[in-house]
Amino acid sequence: QEQLVESGGGSAQVGGSLRLSCAASGGISSTNGNVLGWFRQAPGKEREGVAVIYRTGRVDVAASVKGRFTVSQDNAMNMMYLQMSSLKPEDTATYYCAAAIVPVCLNWYSASCYEYWGQGTQVTVSS
């Protein structure tokens, strides 16, 4: 059964760092043809795409976090990571990892492209 489980959230101070992990099971991986993503959602706001791992293994991060966040994966361990540094209060949100089954989508930063979601992990950044 396909499943995604996030971990690594918590509290950090402004300028600090956190690393989120996402454990995939049930055959979910970019090498199996899935596009993988990291999203976040703050209270009262829409779910926002943060990073994408394409089926080719190419990675990309959103402009809002570029230079501060990096995304990576370990295919052997079926893990995906989001390294967050220089954290800001506006990074406070629940962070989700996601996987897409359908290989085509207009905008991989859109939540509507993804069928599988983790339960989310909370990140709180304070000064």
Side-chain angles (χ1 to χ4, degrees):
Q1 182 178 356
E2 296 85 355
Q3 189 175 19
L4 298 166
V5 179
E6 303 95 339
S7 61
S11 298
Q13 294 199 326
V14 172
S17 299
L18 284 172
R19 188 176 85 151
L20 306 183
S21 300
C22 174
S25 60
I28 294 177
S29 76
S30 62
T31 57
N32 283 342
N34 302 115
V35 174
L36 308 174
W38 280 102
F39 287 77
R40 66 184 180 185
Q41 188 166 21
K45 294 189 175 183
E46 291 188 358
R47 194 163 293 191
E48 173 192 16
V50 175
V52 177
I53 300 176
Y54 296 94
R55 293 184 297 157
T56 59
R58 184 173 72 87
V59 301
D60 190 35
V61 296
S64 59
V65 301
K66 191 157 289 187
R68 301 189 300 120
F69 290 12
T70 58
V71 61
S72 62
Q73 63 177 335
D74 183 336
N75 288 324
M77 298 296 292
N78 291 327
M79 296 291 295
M80 180 169 64
Y81 305 99
L82 184 68
Q83 178 68 48
M84 307 184 295
S85 59
S86 302
L87 285 165
K88 304 177 181 180
E90 52 263 42
D91 295 321
T92 295
T94 301
Y95 283 71
Y96 301 87
C97 59
I101 304 302
V102 178
V104 179
C105 192
L106 288 178
N107 178 11
W108 288 110
Y109 285 94
S110 172
S112 63
C113 294
Y114 298 81
E115 291 83 14
Y116 296 106
W117 292 86
Q119 82 287 352
T121 186
Q122 177 67 36
V123 171
T124 303
V125 182
S126 58
S127 56

